[in-house]
Amino acid sequence: MQCQSEVAPRTCVDIHTLEAAALAATRSAAVASYAWVGRHDQKAADAAATTAMREALADAPGRGKVVIGEGEKDDAPMLFNGEIVGNGHGPDFDIAVDPLEGTSFCAKDLPGALATIAFGEPGTLWSPGPGFYMDKIVVPPQAKDVIDLNDPPERTLVKVAEALGKQVSELRVVIMDKPRHKELIARVLRAGAAVQTPAGGDVGGSLAVLLPTLDVDLLLGVGGTPEGVMTAAAVRALGGGMLGRLAPQRDEEADAIRAAGMSLDRIYNCDELVAGDAFFVATGVSGGPLLGRPREGDGTTIAESLLISRGQVRHITHTAFE
């Protein structure tokens, strides 16, 4: 990691020394938003998660820059792009955040809501500027060299199936259940693959691709750019494959991207989305096959987290608050 130098040089610290700070941030957000599970108030749940995560990050050792965060897309006044967090005593680092991934899952008490964050070395996390949405492909390591966002979905299915040693009919694909994906879902089904269609939560879908125990082979479709960058941190750490391309959903977003000098045609690979050492952390909010929800026990609140770092996946059960 780069050293931060102001009046005097600071000691270089490995990015992975910040893992405890990241875990504290996601578990604080998860516990805060859990109070809103099933209350049908997405904004309140997201605000609770964002406030708690920001407060936790204020104690992180060092100086962190929010490269991609809440901001205008989620009408959030905190953890916006460019905000500085941390106590200033330690290394510089970049962060990408989604304090509550799957706000509708939380509001409706459905499985899949997560508090998520990625930490990276300074300058390594890609900033999408005014781009809020991106088209994505995520695959396991065995298929990382065969994907191309310019391929039609039918061709992608054939190539991924061959790389995984399967038939297309054996593939399980995650595509979010959004109006924009109606045709994509229909084409994948006609090609013979099975399709999981969660209402949201493409970070969770991407993690299902990366973790063999969850029996998913491929993620396709358009999701948020914060989720894309955090996904890329997990994909890179585990050697998977990912491609992304900005996919504005409104004319105003497309105009802002062009005005910023960014291309709507460029395809970014995983090493461009996350260009250096990074790690990913998630904590469960509403439960599900990936992570359980926070729970009370012996006067404490227990949370379940996932840490993806340096080719390893660690499942952590910890006390959120004493």
Side-chain angles (χ1 to χ4, degrees), residues 98 101 114 116 136 201-208 219 226-228 230-231 280 282 290:
D98 191 351
E101 153 79 350
L114 304 168
T116 59
K136 308 167 192 172
D202 57 335
V203 171
S206 297
L207 293 176
L219 176 134
E227 293 86 350
M230 285 184 291
T231 292
F280 169 86
L290 185 65

Side-chain angles (χ1 to χ4, degrees), residues 95-207:
I95 59 173
V97 304
D98 191 351
L100 184 56
E101 153 79 350
T103 53
S104 65
F105 296 160
C106 176
K108 298 176 182 178
D109 197 3
L110 298 173
L114 304 168
T116 59
I117 199 166
F119 277 46
E121 295 178 325
T124 62
L125 301 186
W126 175 69
S127 174
F132 300 146
Y133 293 91
M134 66 188 308
D135 195 8
K136 308 167 192 172
I137 297 178
V138 178
V139 294
Q142 305 96 304
K144 68 179 181 179
D145 295 325
V146 304
I147 53 175
D148 184 343
L149 265 179
N150 289 323
D151 281 340
E154 295 84 356
R155 177 61 177 155
T156 295
L157 294 173
V158 170
K159 291 164 70 173
V160 171
E162 289 177 351
L164 298 180
K166 296 183 176 184
Q167 300 295 319
V168 169
S169 60
E170 297 176 286
L171 293 181
R172 301 186 66 82
V173 184
V174 172
I175 306 173
M176 287 193 297
D177 188 9
K178 303 290 184 182
R180 61 181 178 263
H181 291 150
K182 183 178 180 180
E183 180 183 355
L184 175 61
I185 292 169
R187 291 176 68 174
V188 171
L189 288 171
R190 283 197 300 269
V195 181
Q196 294 182 12
T197 53
D202 57 335
V203 171
S206 297
L207 293 176

Side-chain angles (χ1 to χ4, degrees), residues 3-4 21 34 42 58 60 65 71 86 102 156 159 168 171 192 203 224 236 248 257 270 283 290:
C3 295
Q4 178 184 5
Y34 179 65
Q42 296 185 39
K65 180 180 179 181
T156 295
K159 291 164 70 173
V168 169
L171 293 181
V203 171
R236 192 178 195 275
I257 291 170
C270 188
T283 301
L290 185 65

Side-chain angles (χ1 to χ4, degrees), residues 3-302:
C3 295
Q4 178 184 5
S5 60
E6 293 174 353
V7 177
R10 299 185 178 186
T11 302
C12 286
V13 179
D14 190 308
I15 185 70
H16 296 273
T17 64
L18 295 166
E19 290 173 357
L23 285 162
T26 58
R27 74 184 183 222
S28 294
V31 170
S33 56
Y34 179 65
W36 292 93
V37 167
R39 299 186 182 276
H40 290 244
D41 192 336
Q42 296 185 39
K43 285 189 175 293
D46 191 56
T50 302
T51 299
M53 180 173 281
R54 185 172 186 257
E55 290 175 353
L57 287 172
D59 294 327
R63 184 175 182 272
K65 180 180 179 181
V66 180
V67 174
I68 183 165
E70 292 283 274
E72 183 180 347
K73 175 175 176 285
D74 294 306
D75 193 26
M78 296 180 291
L79 296 180
F80 53 84
N81 294 6
E83 184 173 356
I84 302 300
V85 298
N87 62 19
H89 304 295
D92 286 350
F93 56 94
D94 285 352
I95 59 173
V97 304
D98 191 351
L100 184 56
E101 153 79 350
T103 53
S104 65
F105 296 160
C106 176
K108 298 176 182 178
D109 197 3
L110 298 173
L114 304 168
T116 59
I117 199 166
F119 277 46
E121 295 178 325
T124 62
L125 301 186
W126 175 69
S127 174
F132 300 146
Y133 293 91
M134 66 188 308
D135 195 8
K136 308 167 192 172
I137 297 178
V138 178
V139 294
Q142 305 96 304
K144 68 179 181 179
D145 295 325
V146 304
I147 53 175
D148 184 343
L149 265 179
N150 289 323
D151 281 340
E154 295 84 356
R155 177 61 177 155
T156 295
L157 294 173
V158 170
K159 291 164 70 173
V160 171
E162 289 177 351
L164 298 180
K166 296 183 176 184
Q167 300 295 319
V168 169
S169 60
E170 297 176 286
L171 293 181
R172 301 186 66 82
V173 184
V174 172
I175 306 173
M176 287 193 297
D177 188 9
K178 303 290 184 182
R180 61 181 178 263
H181 291 150
K182 183 178 180 180
E183 180 183 355
L184 175 61
I185 292 169
R187 291 176 68 174
V188 171
L189 288 171
R190 283 197 300 269
V195 181
Q196 294 182 12
T197 53
D202 57 335
V203 171
S206 297
L207 293 176
V209 173
L210 297 170
L211 304 176
T213 57
L214 296 182
D215 191 29
V216 176
D217 302 298
L218 173 66
L219 176 134
L220 294 172
V222 174
T225 49
E227 293 86 350
V229 174
M230 285 184 291
T231 292
V235 172
R236 192 178 195 275
L238 294 179
M242 178 177 179
L243 297 174
R245 176 172 52 204
L246 289 172
Q249 299 300 293
R250 297 182 302 163
D251 291 341
E252 296 88 343
E253 183 184 354
D255 292 342
I257 291 170
R258 294 189 188 97
M262 303 177 73
S263 171
L264 295 176
D265 299 317
R266 178 175 175 179
I267 296 174
Y268 297 86
N269 63 37
C270 188
D271 289 337
E272 291 171 316
L273 296 173
V274 178
D277 201 10
F279 64 87
F280 169 86
V281 175
T283 301
V285 175
S286 61
L290 185 65
L291 291 165
R293 60 179 64 197
R295 59 190 184 274
E296 299 292 332
D298 298 327
T300 62
T301 304
I302 308 301

